[in-house]
Amino acid sequence: MTQSVPTFAELLATARHSAVHLEMRDTYHGQDSGGFAEYLRSGYANTDIASAHWTRWGDMVAEAAGRGVALRRARIVSQPVTDYIRYEHALTQANVALGEQVRWLPRRLASDLALPGNDYWLFDDERVLFNHFTGDGAWADPRLTHVDDPAVVKLCADAFEAVWDRAVDHADFTV
């Protein structure tokens, strides 16, 4: 069910207790603003949360965390990992510093889990925001679909918790 879609910022701003994100792709570089190319050239990933690169995200996360919203992100990844996942792994220390909890699950350990077909954010176990991408990781249209159907919400909540329970904390996951 596609409807007038609230923005991610609007959904996070109204979250009361939780915002969880499940990522299942091995590349997102189609949406990257140049950081990935720099990483490939130099090995540098901007993890300075005071930099302009992190300002918008950092402000949203700090505001939500300040209201007591728990932010958790789980990533299912193929191994060996892609260069893009290596880049994401390098960036993740900034996500953690901003207040997110992040875990990684090797794809081979997710084979028996029921997972939705797209990445998503789940807010307060009530609202799902699906992210749609093309094969190369660029945003697809429609970019976002907001769903508050109880069966879809339950699928996403159960999938996230199943992944979270099996996944390895970022501090312990190597690429």
Side-chain angles (χ1 to χ4, degrees), residues 42-143:
S42 68
Y44 172 77
N46 183 350
T47 59
D48 177 4
I49 61 173
S51 72
H53 174 83
W54 288 97
T55 300
R56 184 171 180 267
W57 183 253
D59 290 349
M60 286 190 298
V61 169
E63 193 279 329
R67 288 185 287 109
V69 176
L71 290 105
R72 296 184 296 157
R73 180 186 304 256
R75 293 180 170 132
I76 299 173
V77 296
S78 299
Q79 291 180 309
V81 299
T82 63
D83 286 340
Y84 196 86
I85 294 300
R86 204 174 310 294
Y87 169 63
E88 273 195 335
H89 188 267
L91 287 175
T92 298
Q93 73 183 53
N95 294 90
V96 171
L98 288 167
E100 288 186 59
Q101 298 173 56
V102 181
R103 292 186 182 177
W104 302 80
L105 182 65
R107 190 171 310 281
R108 72 187 185 305
L109 300 178
S111 297
D112 61 337
L113 299 178
L115 301 169
N118 294 290
D119 290 9
Y120 61 89
W121 280 90
L122 174 62
F123 301 91
D124 296 326
D125 292 325
E126 296 172 352
R127 296 161 294 164
V128 178
L129 187 65
F130 285 107
N131 300 316
H132 300 272
F133 297 97
T134 63
D136 67 355
W139 284 107
D141 290 319
R143 290 175 55 162

